[in-house]
Each structure stands twice: as structure tokens, then as C-alpha cells.
Amino acid sequence: MNLKNLRKDPKSLFYLFLEAYSVRFKPKKVPMLPTILQIEPTINCNLRCKMCDQPIWNRKARDMEFENFKKILDQFPNARKLNLQGMGEPLLNKDIFKMIRYSRSKKIFTWIITNGMLLNENNIENLLNSKPNQIFISLDAADKKVYESIRTGSSYEKVIENIKNLAERAEHTQIIINSTLTTDNFNQIPKLLELLQTLNIKKINIQGIHTWGKKQWDYMKEKTLKSKYSEIKKELEDYKQKAKSLNIDLSYSMIEPTKNNCNWLWNSCYITVDGFITPCCIHGSDPRKFSFGNLLKTNIKKIWNNKAYQSLRTHLKSENPPAFCIGCPELKNSC
């Protein structure tokens, strides 16, 4: 929502003030419902990516039904942003286009993140007709061998062709490349920038990896860019300058050392395919590990400030955050 619209809508301005207050002071009880949502359309996926927790899950793969999606979204009257992506490929849910349209009908800023393999002509048309604000496509290397070694089951040529076709037709939707980088593929950034210039893509977001809060992923710690930040800081700045010279906006997240920077418990919700609210999309995305309740059974108004939420907010603000948060890149001294 832009400033002109805010001036015409004092109620929205008031909720933005409450959100800013909640994020700044992080109270145990939050005076407004979440405004930023991430809803998981499916936990089915057509790839088996090296850094993803999904392939080792034993949760029953399923899609969110459209009526359940509506029931959930309708509980958030002040929602302003929605990411339709979780532990799966959103284009595998046959109702994804209806979900996007329904969200946009509520004037919610909406985007999806896709691995790009299913962006055929029919899906591109349906996707653009549903009018998401942004489409993120995962592309972690400009080199075929490196890319396909990360995204197991993918085809480099197919994804590049799909990105090209989408970019040529996306007049009113921003196309953004999402690159998940480790110390193994960090050197791909210059080639990625050159590739994006040929595809006429104007924005790339680089993000670091994390361990999903599980010991079986601890071996990845030494590969995180955050653990090597002091060594790569100069290169990152050089890459930003190179991107600028190519008229590409390069941003990055989960790479720089931070203070305890997590705002999820104060303004955001991660909602799983089966309706559970979990702490976040990073270490807290698995409902078997932790859940505040289920929105298909209990309204958000009864969940948002329940004892579990209040307890976790207090815990997260302390010097001893919850065990599953340890190692999260949003926390100070975590890698």
C-alpha cells in the first residue's frame, strides 16, 4: 500500500503503527494480528535440492485445498503481504492460480517462489493472468553442471528457456532471481549477473543457507556464507557494483552477521499445508517440531496471543533462545 492510499485509509495507517510498535518493542502480547503471511500450498516437489529439508521428511505429501486456503486467509483482515510457497513447488498445486487471484482480490501484495521447471507456456499464461506482484525463480548458478548438481532432477536448459519466455511476457509482474549460495557456488555470482542481463532480468536476491535447526544438517555450517562473511565482504561489495553497472539490483539476506533480528513472532505467520501455525519459514517450519495451533480448527484470534506464543516470544528475546532457533541466520552469532 502506497502513502497516498494510506492517507485515505487511517485504519491501515493505524495497523502499520501497531506493527512498527510490535516489531520495535517485541511485547509478550501483540496488539494486532499478523500482516505478513507465508502459506504453504503444497509439500510435493519435483526436485530434490541439496540444501532442502523436504526430501528427508516423512510427512505425507499433500496439497492445500482452495477452500481451506480461503478459510485461513479470511482470518487475517489486515494482511498486506503473502508469500505462497513452503516446503514444495507451488505450481504442483492445481489451485495455485485461484489462490493468487483470491489474495490479489483482497489487495494483498502476493508472490510465489518456483524452481522454474514447470513454467511451461500454459502455466506462464495462467500465472500471469492471476496477477501476482512478483515471481521469484530459483537459480543458483550460471554453469549447467554446478546448477544441476545443486537442484537434483532439474534441467538447466529448460529452466533458462522458461525464464526467458516468462520475462518476455511479464509486463506487470516483477521477475526476480533467487540464488541460494554456499561457499561452493559463491563464485557463480559474476556469471549469474551476466546471464541475467541477457535474459533482461533486473533483480537478483542472494540468500545464505542454514541448518533447519536439525543436527543432521550441522555439516553445512562450514559452508554458510555468514560463517565466512569477513572473507567475502569485499567481494560482495564488488559484485553489487558489477550488478549496478549492468542495471541489475542485487540484494542479499541471511549472510551478514546480525543482532537478534527475528520479527516472525510479532508480525508474521508461517502456515503449513495442513493449517498449522509454526514459528517461521526457516528453522521453525516443521509442524512436528513445534506448532502454536491449527487454523482449520481454531481462529487466529485465539492462537496469536496464546500461552505458547507468549512463552516463545519471551524465550526468543532472552540470551538463551529456543533450541530449534540455534544456528538460525536471523540470530546473533549464528551461522
Side-chain angles (χ1 to χ4, degrees):
M1 183 175 289
N2 61 40
L3 287 175
K4 287 184 179 179
N5 288 337
L6 280 176
R7 292 190 189 104
K8 297 175 184 177
D9 188 355
K11 186 176 180 181
S12 294
L13 188 60
F14 176 67
Y15 281 115
L16 277 178
F17 168 78
L18 288 180
E19 180 181 350
Y21 162 82
S22 300
V23 167
R24 172 67 179 84
F25 295 102
K26 293 181 166 50
K28 184 191 295 188
K29 281 190 174 184
V30 180
M32 35 71 74
L33 292 175
T35 59
I36 303 172
L37 309 178
Q38 182 164 347
I39 299 180
E40 185 176 64
T42 183
I43 53 174
N44 286 302
C45 197
N46 54 333
L47 300 183
R48 293 294 180 265
C49 302
K50 285 170 65 174
M51 61 291 191
C52 184
D53 198 38
Q54 193 267 3
I56 64 172
W57 282 16
N58 56 14
R59 284 178 68 197
K60 183 180 178 182
R62 58 175 294 187
D63 297 340
M64 179 177 284
E65 297 175 3
F66 181 60
E67 289 305 315
N68 285 341
F69 171 78
K70 288 174 62 179
K71 181 176 181 179
I72 289 170
L73 192 59
D74 287 348
Q75 296 179 46
F76 297 87
N78 308 310
R80 59 185 182 86
K81 292 183 180 181
L82 171 63
N83 178 6
L84 273 167
Q85 194 264 344
M87 297 301 296
E89 168 53 48
L91 292 177
L92 286 172
N93 186 319
K94 63 181 177 58
D95 290 327
I96 189 65
F97 311 118
K98 291 166 67 175
M99 292 176 178
I100 295 170
R101 282 194 296 271
Y102 188 71
S103 175
R104 295 295 293 125
S105 74
K106 291 175 169 286
K107 296 181 171 53
I108 298 172
F109 190 96
T110 307
W111 69 95
I112 71 165
I113 304 173
T114 172
N115 59 45
M117 283 289 291
L118 301 178
L119 286 172
N120 55 44
E121 193 167 324
N122 186 56
N123 279 341
I124 286 176
E125 181 177 2
N126 287 329
L127 186 54
L128 293 177
N129 285 341
S130 64
K131 300 182 179 179
N133 297 90
Q134 296 173 329
I135 300 170
F136 288 78
I137 305 168
S138 299
L139 184 66
D140 316 300
D143 179 88
K144 171 182 169 65
K145 186 176 180 181
V146 176
Y147 169 78
E148 292 181 355
S149 71
I150 295 170
R151 304 256 169 199
T152 306
S154 65
S155 164
Y156 176 79
E157 292 85 0
K158 186 174 185 178
V159 168
I160 296 302
E161 184 66 20
N162 290 348
I163 294 173
K164 180 181 177 182
N165 292 337
L166 176 64
E168 288 175 350
R169 298 175 59 179
E171 297 181 12
H172 305 293
T173 298
Q174 184 182 29
I175 310 302
I176 302 171
I177 295 300
N178 215 44
S179 295
T180 302
L181 300 185
T182 69
T183 53
D184 293 337
N185 61 331
F186 178 68
N187 62 359
Q188 288 286 310
I189 297 177
K191 290 181 179 179
L192 272 169
L193 293 174
E194 291 166 7
L195 174 62
L196 298 196
Q197 187 183 38
T198 68
L199 295 171
N200 198 30
I201 303 291
K202 300 299 184 183
K203 184 169 177 60
I204 178 172
N205 178 60
I206 294 167
Q207 64 179 34
I209 57 167
H210 51 85
T211 64
W212 300 101
K214 297 178 181 178
K215 288 187 176 180
Q216 60 261 51
W217 287 100
D218 277 356
Y219 75 95
M220 294 291 282
K221 286 182 179 179
E222 64 183 30
K223 293 182 178 291
T224 66
L225 296 184
K226 189 173 180 181
S227 68
K228 309 292 183 182
Y229 182 72
S230 61
E231 301 169 32
I232 66 169
K233 182 179 179 180
K234 176 63 168 60
E235 286 178 272
L236 271 175
E237 289 305 311
D238 290 343
Y239 293 154
K240 287 198 76 170
Q241 288 304 311
K242 178 178 176 64
K244 188 176 181 180
S245 72
L246 297 174
N247 197 28
I248 296 172
D249 178 18
L250 184 155
S251 60
Y252 48 85
S253 59
M254 298 197 294
I255 293 176
E256 293 180 281
T258 63
K259 297 179 179 179
N260 287 9
N261 199 34
C262 180
N263 295 325
W264 274 89
L265 301 181
W266 288 271
N267 70 346
S268 306
C269 269
Y270 185 90
I271 301 157
T272 69
V273 70
D274 30 16
F276 289 100
I277 296 184
T278 65
C280 70
C281 71
I282 306 177
H283 284 198
S285 59
D286 189 342
R288 299 167 304 174
K289 188 168 22 173
F290 193 96
S291 166
F292 296 108
N294 191 299
L295 290 172
L296 298 177
K297 299 177 181 178
T298 308
N299 190 280
I300 182 61
K301 292 179 180 179
K302 293 184 177 180
I303 296 175
W304 183 234
N305 281 313
N306 66 16
K307 288 183 179 179
Y309 251 121
Q310 292 186 52
S311 175
L312 197 62
R313 286 174 186 138
T314 300
H315 204 179
L316 188 59
K317 286 175 64 178
S318 73
E319 293 297 318
N320 298 297
F324 62 78
C325 293
I326 302 299
C328 176
E330 293 297 317
L331 292 186
K332 186 178 180 181
N333 299 326
S334 291
C335 297

